[in-house]
Amino acid sequence: MSTVPSRRRHGDTPPPRTGNSESEVLRGFLGYLRNSVSAKVEGAPEPEVRTAGVPSGTNLLGLLNHLTFVERATFLGERVTDWQATFHAAPTDTVADVTARYRRAVAQADDVLDGCPDLGAPLPRARPNSPAPSVRWALTHLIEETGRHAGHADILRELIDGSTGR
């Protein structure tokens, strides 16, 4: 009997065709990655969605939980004291709970970005005594961070139920 899940292939969504401005390109790719990573979590079964797929303990639900904290820290200025803890959702959290929190954080981050027309300007932050990065740096960092974890999510979801594609 095979322990490999049956393969379910989903069609790949190609990278976005955005406007020509730097802001439109950066925000378009970030939105694409945000949608990709949340789609990997949606519909994933319990308890597999929170079961570690690799020796480090990384799990699909934890990745999305972590990215929620990254969005909130980067764009909303919230302080995180234990980044490692963000990789684990609470035992009572459902996929819908974590996905909804992620989407709210993304919407709030987008509201902040909507008010930042100058990519070279410092990102507005609520934290005192902490230098704010430029909007450009923050967008690039979130593209890198979300893309990295979207790749992890691709692998973990395939291990869970064979689902592939974006």
Side-chain angles (χ1 to χ4, degrees):
M1 178 176 211
S2 174
T3 59
V4 177
S6 64
R7 188 172 288 286
R8 291 187 333 193
R9 180 127 178 100
H10 295 225
D12 270 351
T13 302
R17 294 286 182 187
T18 61
N20 292 326
S21 76
E22 183 181 6
S23 180
E24 290 170 319
V25 170
L26 292 172
R27 290 190 67 182
F29 272 86
L30 179 56
Y32 169 74
L33 290 168
R34 286 166 165 169
N35 290 335
S36 294
V37 76
S38 62
K40 284 294 174 182
V41 177
E42 291 173 334
E46 287 280 2
E48 292 87 354
V49 72
R50 65 180 72 244
T51 302
V54 292
S56 68
T58 303
N59 65 79
L60 197 53
L61 196 60
L63 284 176
L64 195 61
N65 193 65
H66 170 72
L67 286 170
T68 302
F69 280 90
V70 173
E71 292 273 352
R72 297 188 69 76
T74 303
F75 294 117
L76 307 177
E78 292 186 7
R79 185 167 180 186
V80 176
T81 57
D82 183 358
W83 279 105
Q84 196 58 39
T86 68
F87 280 97
H88 300 283
T92 56
D93 281 342
T94 65
V95 170
D97 294 334
V98 175
T99 303
R101 270 198 307 271
Y102 180 67
R103 288 206 171 121
R104 277 193 304 276
V106 164
Q108 290 172 321
D110 282 343
D111 286 345
V112 169
L113 289 168
D114 288 345
C116 299
D118 180 2
L119 293 178
L123 190 65
R125 302 186 107 189
R127 284 192 315 189
N129 304 321
S130 180
S134 71
V135 175
R136 179 181 291 105
W137 184 92
L139 283 166
T140 304
H141 170 62
L142 260 290
I143 290 168
E144 176 273 330
E145 182 82 4
T146 307
R148 179 175 187 237
H149 293 311
H152 297 146
D154 286 341
I155 293 166
L156 291 171
R157 183 62 189 260
E158 187 173 356
L159 289 170
I160 289 171
D161 65 5
S163 179
T164 62
R166 286 184 286 251

